[in-house]
Amino acid sequence: MPHHRLSPVWGIGVLVAAWAVAAGAQAPGAEEIRQRKIAYLEECCYNASGVTEEAIAAIPTDKLLQYPALRKTAEAQVPRLNQMFAGRYLGSVVALDDFKPRILYFVKGLTAADRVRVKADPALLNVQLADTAYSQRDIAGLTQQLQKEQRWQDVSPQLKAAFMERYQVQFPSLQSVNALPDAVFIQHTPADADALHEAVSKLFGEQLVSVAMNNDVLGHATLDALVHQPQPAQLQRLRGDAKLRDVQVVPYPMSKAEIERIQDRIVRVLNGSPTGNGQHGFVGLSFNYELRKFYVGVNPGQVDRATEILRRYPDIPANCCDVQEQLAVELSNPVVAQ
């Protein structure tokens, strides 16, 4: 994961302090406000191609001026959280979305009781807890392990920031997210993920509908295997195989063959029904495993027509199809999306 480490001239904490002093002295001028906007964008827009004039102009000045105090209030909660979760905390990230700074706080072995404690504490506001497999106390040992296994590599702050999207954090503070240890991100994905997938496929065969990484616990991703009608003997073999300890079987009501049959049927039905101008209105197809829905893409103005056509066929479950307008693309071999 090649990258360039962040090396800002000013840390964001210094910026916040400087802004507060300036605010106490006099109202900032236009150039100072511009520089503050640039600093804010550089701190949170990790995936931007650079600070543009459009981005600078889009930041409301009133919210920008309120931001330092709001961030200071949010960060002031971290010492209390550290005390509450002594020995279990990994670190925290400042989420900057919508100019409303809040704390994303990582706790090893997070429980429902932990969430209740934080929610019940009147001194803690807008704190989001997240589970992790490691605490700060574990990092030295984990780092040595990764180095011994020759798996060590630097992790860019941009990659760490992108990982925060699973916690509904679009714009984390780059400096705070970069303070999270590289080791937990390296360890997160199993080194033998491909072999794990292969072993699961061998165990369940055609019953295996799909697999997906479960990223709920930072530092320890597991594999969710969607299986149609798993048998007790198969589950017993799974539990008895130490190499498959990170596989979680999720019983799935539809088989892979049934999904492919319905997909093929939708394609045949809609491709066989040209529109009034002689063209096919069908342009795309995907399947959402979580919602168990087929998303059918059609040309603008063809939603009602396609919906009506699909309703004529009882072997295509009406409640499994969601017809939507989609920009036309050349359709060759539609693939069921995961």
Side-chain angles (χ1 to χ4, degrees), residues 40 44 94-102 168-172:
Y40 179 86
C44 71
V94 184
L96 305 177
D97 302 46
D98 302 320
F99 296 94
K100 298 176 181 177
R102 71 180 193 277
Q168 290 76 52
V169 176
Q170 185 177 6
F171 297 117

Side-chain angles (χ1 to χ4, degrees), residues 14 47 71 75 80-81 104 107 118 131 133 143 145 161 181 222 227 246 261 275 287 291 298 312 327 330:
V14 176
N47 59 352
R71 176 160 183 172
E75 292 182 317
R80 184 174 182 85
L81 288 165
L104 173 63
V107 179
V118 169
D131 198 2
T143 299
Q145 173 190 330
T222 54
V227 181
D246 289 335
R261 184 199 69 76
T275 61
F287 182 72
L291 301 178
V298 297
R312 297 174 191 169
L327 292 177
E330 184 176 350

